[in-house]
Amino acid sequence: MPYIPHTPEEVREMLQSVGVANVEELFADIPRELRPASFDLPPGMTEMGVRDRLEALAAKNRIDFVSFLGAGFYDHYVPSAVDALASRGEFYTAYTPYQAEASQGTLQAIFEFQTAVCRLFGMDVANASVYDGGTAIYEALMMAVRQTKRATALICETVSPIYRTMLATFTEKLGLTLTTVPHADGLTDFTAFEAALDSRCAAVVVQNPNFFGAVQDYAALFAKAKSLGALSIASAYPVMASLLATPRSMGADICVAEGQSLGLPLSFGGPYLGVMTCTKELARQMPGRIVGRTADANGRTGYVLTLQAREQHIRRQKATSNICSNQALCALRVLIHLCLLGDEGLRRQALNSVEKAHYAAQRLTAIPGVRLLNDAPFANEFTVVLPGTALESCSNLMRWQYVPGFPLTRYYPGLENALVVCCTEKHRLSDIDTLADMIGALQ
Amino acid sequence: MRTVFEKSRAGREGVWQEKPAASASDFIPAGLLRGREANLPSLSELDVVRHFTRLSRLNFGVDANFYPLGSCTMKYNPKFTEVVANLPGFARLHPLAPQLCVAAKWCQGSLEVIYETERLLCEITGMDAFTLHPMAGAHGELTGALIIAAYHADRGNKKTKILCPDSAHGTNPASAAIAGFEVVSVASRDGIVDPEALAAALDDSVAAVMLTCPNTLGLFERHLPKIVDMIHDAGALLYYDGANLNAILGKMRPGDAGFDVMHVNLHKTFATPHGGGGPGSGPVGVSAALAPYLPISRVVKDEEGLYYLDYDYPKSIGYVAPLYGNFGVILKAYAYILRLGREGLIRVSEQAVLAANYLRVRLESCLDIPYNRICMHEFVASAEKSAQATGVRALDLAKALLDRGHHAPTIYFPLIVKEAVMIEPTETESKDTLDLFVEDLQRIAAQAEHAPEEVKAAPRAMPVGRLDETKAARDMVLTADLAPAR
């Protein structure tokens, strides 16, 4: 039997030691009436057979498109060394480092990950990651609720609608009132936001660059929030963080991000990781696993899981969060990716993406009837308004193996003609030219 | 070992890309750009490869060490599943692809994997429907608790409490609390749920009871048929924590036994790697009565055999994940289930249970085992006697095992056993490995009697000695840039 090493002789010896005649006796505690009505599974297959089957399934997915689809999940180049290192069995076949002395590799890597993401966002403290970028926003909101002991929060409509729909599921149960502040042409409406802010508010949540791609200055909003005792939560795009003003410099208390763009494949939605960073004043509100530096009796530096008094295995129903598993292997990939690129590599990756997006915007807006949704600065993603519906343009272009972007219709009624177009360093200028030619030909 | 930041040398070239022709301020006003660089390390590719290769060597992992970490199911992770998950057809697919019109056509492979995995899990567990969205066991528990809340709310039931046995995983009460329930702990008797204590706690306000079966002591809940009836008679639902599903494959299905909601830990029973703490995957299964409340989206198959995402479930609890769960992990579990098939999965449980009982019997001479009877896939010993006699505690035994090349069992859990040492060998460890573990533990137990200080001084063969956790919590040095707190 695959992966089960016991020979018939060994099974006999083991049964004898235990003092039972056969394996079935070991299951005598399961009452007869609980025995399965059926267990109708296919017979086992060889490794080759399963691989053939899975390769055939993989071939049913079409990945041969030139795609300008981003919307929070990005196709940036991943250096080969990321796969090579993260696939070392010493990393991926270990578990949560409960035995610190036998887990210094994982622990030091998490400590370095915490350091790297804090430096990227200008924050003091990070955890070892949570499930994804949406969960990170949810956990950040819960941090604010605990810290301020308030139960309302404001979130901008320009924050990813994919995350906002998910937040609604959780906040409703928790007695947290999460109010969405409407966008104005794809931008955060600061007047509306400040009008909605009051001293009952636990937090404000924004995203920069926002879901439409726009880059804005949140310093004034965050200052107003602070003056009313609310925390400021910013959701960031880590690759672009190498260029953009840090959330901390604008006054954010908590910065979260979907970490996928830093070295993880798109993989149909996961595994990804939620990056969570905050100021040191909020360290004790941080959920999940956190690694700290310490020493052994001989003064040798080492790393341990710390501040565990916040966690479910100690606090049970009074824990800061129910989270147990994190996305440690994904965090390791992010760290390796950041180390391989360094500041200069990451900045180049970001800037090459930005340059291509601006070229694309220029080409597209040269087409009669195509315009940008707003005139705000943008990084590598922007929203164009087409003369016809975005979904229709999308289906037309897909016939020629092009995905022009993400149509906003589904999440933003009234923006049926709007399309979010994303470029990364992987796009060729000729791909962008072809995209523009094809969209031009549609009109 | 020095941190990767200390190894940085300004100007050293890493994996850089083409030099951009423009500068950021050509596109974005200077006021919106960052003032200074993040100060990520500047390293050559070899610097990075060597740093992480060396870090990896400081770790124990299943590939190199026996890892009997109770409750965590640290079995062998087949290599071919990694290859399968990295196939470009899967790895390069954008998660929003199915949201474009006509585009479900380009995701048929991935959608079929999800659909088929759900069907296989239904057959394995006897549940009627599954969602693969939850990204870990605790996420599954939270999803399950939200489904339970929605079910009762839909019927106008005023239910405010969830009961958990005192032996439960800490995530059970934490997840129930986050879903808005009051959590009440039920005392065990003789290591299993006491029907009388349960009866006393069961009233109209109880929405559900969360059970782990076999429980965290590795014992099967023998009163289960009675318990199920009591709970259903009280108008409550029964939640199955699937952390220990690997003990009962083909022997019992939670759905047949009367459980209404459950989660499965794909990273335990179905051999996907634990990754140093994740990613995991915690699919949730429900009975037909609860299926309308499952999270959206759901994968359905039309008459022509095409798969698509369906969002039209008005009673759904909504989204618990932004996309479709940890798809890469789901792929590995799917490949594992296909590889083992029916007979293989039954053997998984049989051999896991046999291995646990073999270790239990072989270790009973050197360890105190409070509930020493036929166990399932794991058992819990106690170091209480040696802690009192010689001061050698469960923690000391754990550290001494590291010196002999074995990862330690889970210690100090479950909470209902003092000085708990929770051992789960799994089916993938050979008898030779189990025997070596027994001999080493016997030697440590002998040493604990005649030279307890030696055991308390362990570990000695690790890269560091016992680390000062109090100092870590007090100093709060959580990044390389934070100085110790005063």
Side-chain angles (χ1 to χ4, degrees):
Chain A
M1 203 53 77
Y3 323 123
I4 300 175
H6 312 118
T7 65
E9 179 56 31
E10 287 171 330
V11 170
R12 269 194 297 278
E13 285 169 22
M14 289 162 80
L15 287 170
Q16 199 171 14
S17 298
V18 177
V20 292
N22 54 53
V23 170
E24 206 43 53
E25 279 186 38
L26 299 172
F27 293 89
D29 270 355
I30 304 182
R32 191 145 299 279
E33 68 260 42
L34 293 187
R35 293 311 175 109
S38 109
F39 200 64
D40 186 17
L41 295 163
M45 295 166 77
T46 60
E47 179 178 320
M48 189 171 76
V50 181
R51 268 185 74 161
D52 282 352
R53 170 108 161 239
L54 272 291
E55 277 168 19
L57 283 170
K60 288 191 188 175
N61 288 333
R62 293 281 307 276
I63 51 166
D64 54 340
F65 287 70
V66 175
S67 173
F68 294 84
L69 192 54
F73 315 104
Y74 300 101
D75 184 20
H76 287 288
Y77 183 73
V78 180
S80 309
V82 174
D83 277 331
L85 293 168
S87 60
R88 288 186 65 89
E90 297 90 332
F91 285 127
Y92 84 78
T93 71
Y95 195 31
T96 303
Y98 296 116
Q99 293 296 332
E101 300 85 354
S103 315
Q104 285 298 298
T106 294
L107 286 161
Q108 183 171 333
I110 294 173
F111 181 83
E112 293 176 354
F113 165 82
Q114 290 171 182
T115 305
V117 295
C118 281
R119 287 184 180 188
L120 198 54
F121 298 136
M123 289 289 175
D124 303 320
V125 174
N127 68 9
S129 76
V130 293
Y131 308 135
D132 61 82
T135 304
I137 297 176
Y138 161 72
E139 292 287 353
L141 275 168
M142 291 301 104
M143 286 174 70
V145 167
R146 290 192 295 271
Q147 177 76 10
T148 62
K149 305 201 166 48
R150 297 174 181 181
T152 68
L154 299 177
I155 189 165
C156 191
E157 201 182 5
T158 58
V159 174
S160 169
I162 297 160
Y163 296 153
R164 285 188 289 109
T165 46
M166 176 184 139
L167 289 173
T169 305
F170 295 119
T171 52
E172 196 189 331
K173 273 276 136 226
L174 286 158
L176 172 71
T177 309
L178 186 61
T179 306
T180 305
V181 180
H183 74 98
D185 290 331
L187 297 172
T188 301
D189 181 346
F190 290 109
T191 314
F193 224 117
E194 294 195 17
L197 243 177
D198 61 29
S199 58
R200 290 169 305 161
C201 188
V204 296
V205 186
V206 300
Q207 178 180 323
N208 193 40
N210 71 22
F211 193 71
F212 299 80
V215 178
Q216 291 182 273
D217 185 354
Y218 292 93
L221 174 65
F222 291 171
K224 175 84 186 287
K226 192 181 180 74
S227 73
L228 290 166
L231 297 185
S232 296
I233 300 169
S235 174
Y237 176 175
V239 175
M240 293 306 140
S242 64
L243 299 178
L244 300 176
T246 63
R248 181 66 167 279
S249 69
M250 291 185 187
D253 301 285
I254 304 172
C255 176
V256 297
E258 171 49 66
Q260 174 273 328
S261 59
L262 298 173
L264 278 91
L266 288 164
S267 195
F268 204 51
Y272 295 168
L273 74 159
V275 178
M276 295 193 72
T277 63
C278 67
T279 61
K280 56 177 180 286
E281 290 72 26
L282 296 171
R284 287 181 194 280
Q285 300 296 358
M286 183 65 96
R289 301 265 145 83
I290 301 176
V291 172
R293 179 185 270 165
T294 185
D296 69 7
N298 295 317
R300 280 180 296 191
T301 297
Y303 302 88
V304 293
L305 292 175
T306 193
L307 305 179
Q308 295 192 70
R310 304 158 297 116
E311 289 192 70
Q312 48 76 26
H313 63 283
I314 311 281
R315 298 269 288 166
R316 298 177 81 83
Q317 63 264 34
K318 296 191 182 75
T320 52
S321 160
N322 70 326
I323 282 187
C324 177
S325 286
N326 53 30
Q327 307 283 106
L329 195 70
C330 303
L332 176 72
R333 289 185 69 98
V334 165
L335 173 66
I336 296 168
H337 185 82
L338 289 173
C339 290
L340 286 164
L341 267 61
D343 284 316
E344 180 61 18
L346 192 64
R347 199 186 61 82
R348 287 185 181 192
Q349 190 170 44
L351 192 48
N352 284 330
S353 305
V354 172
E355 201 175 340
K356 285 176 176 162
H358 282 255
Y359 176 72
Q362 193 194 335
R363 286 294 321 261
L364 291 175
T365 52
I367 300 165
V370 177
R371 63 176 176 89
L372 291 175
L373 178 64
N374 57 55
D375 58 2
F378 62 90
N380 68 325
E381 209 166 14
F382 58 95
T383 304
V384 283
V385 182
L386 305 172
T389 73
L391 271 175
E392 203 179 323
S393 306
C394 219
S395 351
N396 281 323
L397 262 63
M398 278 163 54
R399 280 192 236 132
W400 299 305
Q401 326 299 330
Y402 268 67
V403 183
F406 185 69
L408 287 174
T409 321
R410 178 191 184 94
Y411 297 108
Y412 296 94
L415 290 179
E416 280 72 18
N417 293 7
L419 184 74
V420 184
V421 181
C422 167
C423 292
T424 72
E425 75 286 356
K426 289 171 92 171
H427 287 101
R428 288 175 299 203
L429 291 181
S430 58
D431 295 333
I432 297 170
D433 290 335
T434 309
L435 174 75
D437 292 345
M438 286 194 289
I439 289 186
L442 286 180
Q443 313 313 324
Chain B
M1 195 169 132
R2 285 185 304 156
T3 66
V4 74
F5 305 99
E6 292 168 272
K7 296 176 180 174
S8 172
R9 292 292 172 268
R12 192 170 286 174
E13 188 168 337
V15 184
W16 290 358
Q17 310 205 349
E18 212 171 313
K19 194 168 172 25
S23 68
S25 57
D26 294 339
F27 306 112
I28 299 165
L32 294 172
L33 296 174
R34 67 185 295 155
R36 56 189 164 87
E37 291 193 323
N39 198 16
L40 298 172
S42 296
L43 297 161
S44 70
E45 184 169 328
L46 175 58
D47 291 336
V48 176
V49 168
R50 199 159 280 164
H51 178 75
F52 288 99
T53 302
R54 287 181 178 173
L55 274 189
S56 76
R57 291 182 182 174
L58 305 181
N59 262 7
F60 276 25
V62 176
D63 277 3
N65 309 85
F66 181 42
Y67 212 124
L69 193 65
S71 201
C72 299
T73 314
M74 300 301 290
K75 64 167 82 175
Y76 172 65
N77 311 126
K79 299 294 174 190
F80 89 101
T81 63
E82 299 298 309
V83 176
V84 160
N86 289 324
L87 289 171
F90 293 125
R92 290 173 56 192
L93 190 62
H94 195 288
L96 297 178
Q99 296 198 9
L100 307 173
C101 65
V102 306
K105 277 189 199 150
W106 3 313
C107 313
Q108 287 300 300
S110 290
L111 294 175
E112 187 173 338
V113 167
I114 293 173
Y115 186 86
E116 286 298 320
T117 305
E118 287 179 3
R119 278 190 12 162
L120 289 168
L121 290 177
C122 283
E123 183 58 28
I124 289 168
T125 61
M127 306 308 286
D128 295 314
F130 257 89
T131 174
L132 306 187
H133 291 194
M135 285 176 267
H139 199 197
E141 292 169 14
L142 176 54
T143 303
L146 292 172
I147 290 170
I148 289 164
Y151 168 89
H152 286 305
D154 201 20
R155 282 159 182 73
N157 300 341
K158 297 269 180 285
K159 305 275 189 180
T160 54
K161 288 183 206 154
I162 281 187
L163 309 186
C164 299
D166 54 7
S167 60
H169 293 109
T171 50
N172 285 184
S175 301
I178 285 175
F181 290 102
E182 182 193 337
V183 180
V184 179
S185 180
V186 180
S188 306
R189 193 174 65 187
D190 198 23
I192 55 178
V193 172
D194 175 3
E196 284 173 26
L198 182 66
L202 263 179
D203 60 33
D204 269 357
S205 66
V206 175
V209 180
M210 296 178 89
L211 282 184
T212 307
C213 183
N215 68 17
T216 59
L217 290 167
L219 301 177
F220 193 85
E221 292 289 351
R222 276 181 296 181
H223 306 302
L224 193 60
K226 187 176 175 188
I227 291 173
V228 170
D229 289 343
M230 285 167 61
I231 292 167
H232 285 161
D233 289 348
L237 297 173
L238 198 50
Y239 185 96
Y240 181 88
D241 177 334
N244 297 341
L245 182 70
N246 57 314
I248 57 161
L249 296 170
K251 304 295 179 189
M252 180 197 113
R253 302 194 310 171
D256 299 338
F259 285 90
D260 304 286
V261 196
M262 70 175 293
H263 80 263
V264 176
N265 303 72
L266 296 185
H267 50 289
K268 295 181 180 176
T269 302
F270 300 107
T272 71
H274 285 62
S281 177
V284 166
V286 294
S287 61
L290 276 77
Y293 310 99
L294 280 173
I296 44 178
S297 58
R298 293 178 63 186
V299 177
V300 294
K301 192 174 177 178
D302 70 12
E303 311 83 57
E304 289 162 27
L306 278 177
Y307 300 91
Y308 65 98
L309 292 174
D310 193 353
Y311 297 83
D312 189 18
Y313 295 90
K315 291 187 173 182
S316 165
I317 58 168
Y319 296 81
V320 297
L323 301 157
Y324 328 109
N326 280 336
F327 181 74
V329 179
I330 293 161
L331 261 175
K332 293 178 201 181
Y334 178 57
Y336 174 83
I337 294 170
L338 291 182
R339 173 91 172 92
L340 268 75
R342 181 180 188 277
E343 299 308 318
L345 290 176
I346 293 172
R347 278 293 293 279
V348 161
S349 289
E350 291 182 345
Q351 293 308 117
V353 169
L354 178 57
N357 279 288
Y358 178 70
L359 274 190
R360 178 181 58 80
V361 168
R362 294 242 17 227
L363 288 171
E364 62 193 5
S365 60
C366 71
L367 279 178
D368 185 40
I369 301 169
Y371 304 96
N372 194 8
R373 56 177 190 254
I374 297 284
C375 64
M376 302 299 282
H377 65 301
E378 66 190 358
F379 64 97
V380 179
S382 168
E384 195 188 2
K385 281 182 189 160
S386 82
Q388 283 171 358
T390 60
V392 172
R393 306 182 58 211
L395 182 73
D396 303 310
L397 295 179
K399 302 304 180 194
L401 278 167
L402 302 181
D403 274 345
R404 293 174 188 267
H406 308 291
H407 194 280
T410 296
I411 50 174
Y412 302 105
F413 183 81
L415 308 177
I416 57 173
V417 172
K418 283 184 183 156
E419 294 291 333
V421 178
M422 186 189 204
I423 301 173
E424 179 179 14
T426 84
E427 75 284 359
T428 61
E429 296 295 339
S430 69
K431 182 168 172 294
D432 305 310
T433 302
L434 302 180
D435 287 338
L436 183 62
F437 179 73
V438 169
E439 286 158 26
D440 283 335
L441 204 48
Q442 284 167 342
R443 286 193 195 104
I444 293 166
Q447 193 176 34
E449 278 184 25
H450 61 77
E453 296 312 313
E454 291 292 302
V455 182
K456 286 189 238 173
R460 289 191 165 107
M462 295 293 105
V464 287
R466 257 183 237 200
L467 291 163
D468 186 345
E469 293 187 6
T470 313
K471 174 180 161 62
R474 187 186 59 227
D475 287 358
M476 287 184 52
V477 178
L478 309 176
T479 72
D481 302 318
L482 280 180
R486 272 175 295 158

